[in-house]
Amino acid sequence: ADVRRWILGYAILAPHSHNLQSWVVDLNVPEQILLRCDLNRLLPQTDPLSRQIMMSHGTFLELLDIAARERGLRTETTLFPEGEFGPDKLDQRPVARVRLTADPTVSKDPLFAAILKRRTNRSAYDVSRPVSAAAWHGMAEAIEGHGLRFGFVGAEQPEMLRKHREVAAEAWRIELVTPRTIMESYNVMRVGSAEIAKHRDGLSLTDPVVVWLDRFGLFDRTKAPGPDAYATTSQIEDFSKKLDSTPAFLWMVTDANDRVTQVNAGRAYARIQLAATAHGVAMQPLSQALQEYPEQAKPYADIRRLLSAPQPAQTIQMWARVGYAPAVQPAPRRGLAAHLART
């Protein structure tokens, strides 16, 4: 009976860092949606400035807008209606206030058809199949007017592709061997179907070997593994193979990095991924080298040099591997009721 619930049913399918789903919505005012951040669902170690969390609220708002258009509703979105968060801390003030108005002239967004098909695909890609020109054009067209620099590299630049892979591999290694950052992932890791069904959030792991080890108490998630432990070396090896299979990378760069820019960058990324999905293209964000914690300083600087995005003038908001891959299951979601503010 409340169209806002139908709209939110699509919004909660948006991509979110570590699949934390830190969205809280207040429906107390008719024809309005107030969006806040669940401060218990942050990433203080790997995302200490909460830039990625703000982008994840942008992806939510973009899917919300697309779904509203599908129902003939226009959204009037005001970001940070009670004031913008500071650069290093979030609080209970709302991220956005969205007012919905019936408007028979509102145009439907063709990207709506891709929402239920969108996936973050961490599989190996088909390195022999370059991303089509039509797909790149579709992604660029989806974010026209969003005020950011969108770029990509593919097989036509093998040396540049190699450099992208090297930075991604080193950033991944650093996150795995830094105890506090790997433990942040371990704390939201769901191993096997029973854990995934129980929590419906976080990082799902269904590898049969890992599930078997966990079942018999041989996969200890209470402490960080050493750099030479199997849990570390096997992940490094596996990710290196996936990087070697990657035929292309894309990126998004902004000229600012305030909270409004971060949210709007998330909205743009959602559109890029939906456009890629519509063309059958898979995508996986490579967040490690973009993260603002000390151990990542070198990959952080390397990727900025590689993309000609010097700080503080510019910020790389998104970097992702792109290609064609077998279909994967969607990440679990906690359901709409889990996101409704308690009254």
Side-chain angles (χ1 to χ4, degrees):
D2 188 342
V3 70
R4 294 176 298 175
R5 292 174 177 263
W6 185 91
I7 292 168
L8 290 168
Y10 285 91
I12 64 173
L13 301 180
H16 192 298
S17 297
H18 275 53
N19 192 27
L20 287 185
Q21 306 167 49
S22 60
W23 312 299
V24 179
V25 292
D26 185 332
L27 302 181
N28 286 324
V29 177
E31 300 177 348
Q32 177 179 294
I33 297 170
L34 199 65
L35 174 65
R36 300 182 192 272
C37 180
D38 184 342
L39 301 181
N40 294 314
R41 289 176 173 268
L42 304 180
L43 297 166
Q45 302 304 326
T46 54
D47 185 30
L49 304 182
S50 294
R51 180 186 61 83
Q52 294 175 77
I53 292 291
M54 285 294 92
M55 287 188 67
S56 297
H57 281 67
T59 62
F60 180 95
L61 288 169
E62 188 60 32
L63 266 62
L64 187 158
D65 179 75
I66 293 171
R69 288 175 174 274
E70 194 70 13
R71 296 297 294 266
L73 295 171
R74 185 174 299 280
T75 61
E76 177 191 332
T77 301
T78 303
L79 295 180
F80 306 104
E82 297 178 13
E84 187 173 335
F85 302 143
D88 57 0
K89 189 175 181 181
L90 309 185
D91 56 51
Q92 289 289 355
R93 288 175 294 173
V95 176
R97 181 180 62 232
V98 182
R99 290 197 171 100
L100 301 169
T101 306
D103 184 349
T105 68
V106 72
S107 58
K108 293 185 177 182
D109 194 318
L111 293 178
F112 176 80
I115 290 178
L116 296 181
K117 301 175 184 177
R118 187 206 65 79
R119 308 282 190 268
T120 295
N121 195 318
R122 297 177 175 84
S123 306
Y125 294 173
D126 184 350
V127 72
S128 67
R129 186 181 177 189
V131 177
S132 71
W136 289 125
H137 176 76
M139 287 183 258
E141 186 176 47
I143 57 167
E144 284 184 358
H146 277 67
L148 51 80
R149 173 161 60 92
F150 169 66
F152 59 88
V153 63
E156 70 283 352
Q157 294 179 275
E159 181 60 18
M160 186 63 72
L161 203 61
R162 181 188 65 78
K163 291 179 179 179
H164 276 256
R165 289 169 176 160
E166 285 183 352
V167 175
E170 176 60 9
W172 175 248
R173 185 196 67 79
I174 289 170
E175 186 157 309
L176 287 176
V177 301
T178 304
R180 71 180 193 284
T181 58
I182 187 59
M183 284 306 299
E184 191 166 71
S185 293
Y186 273 21
N187 289 337
V188 295
M189 186 173 290
R190 318 306 184 197
V191 179
S193 57
E195 277 192 18
I196 293 170
K198 177 182 177 182
H199 295 280
R200 295 194 293 169
D201 66 359
L203 305 171
S204 299
L205 194 56
T206 57
D207 182 278
V209 174
V210 179
V211 173
W212 184 88
L213 290 171
D214 186 70
R215 184 174 300 168
F216 288 94
L218 301 175
F219 179 34
D220 186 357
R221 284 176 276 167
T222 64
K223 61 182 180 180
D228 297 324
Y230 174 78
T232 302
T233 59
S234 61
Q235 287 191 73
I236 291 174
E237 181 181 358
D238 179 66
F239 190 62
S240 293
K241 290 178 180 178
K242 290 175 180 177
L243 285 173
D244 289 342
S245 78
T246 302
F249 296 84
L250 67 74
W251 55 88
M252 292 169 20
V253 179
T254 59
D255 289 331
N257 193 34
D258 55 89
R259 296 304 190 181
V260 170
T261 297
Q262 292 167 3
V263 171
N264 286 332
R267 296 190 68 157
Y269 173 66
R271 296 189 64 79
I272 286 175
Q273 194 181 25
L274 289 174
T277 300
H279 286 273
V281 173
M283 195 176 298
Q284 177 190 1
L286 298 171
S287 58
Q288 290 78 20
L290 309 185
Q291 293 171 159
E292 300 96 339
Y293 62 92
E295 289 85 351
Q296 289 288 8
K298 186 177 185 305
Y300 188 91
D302 289 345
I303 190 60
R304 276 154 181 76
R305 280 193 295 270
L306 200 58
L307 302 183
S308 301
Q311 282 228 318
Q314 295 183 330
T315 299
I316 304 170
Q317 301 289 355
M318 178 56 66
W319 180 39
R321 54 190 291 256
V322 188
Y324 298 93
V328 295
Q329 292 297 311
R333 287 296 185 268
R334 296 189 292 139
L336 178 56
H339 297 280
L340 297 179
R342 296 179 180 178
T343 57

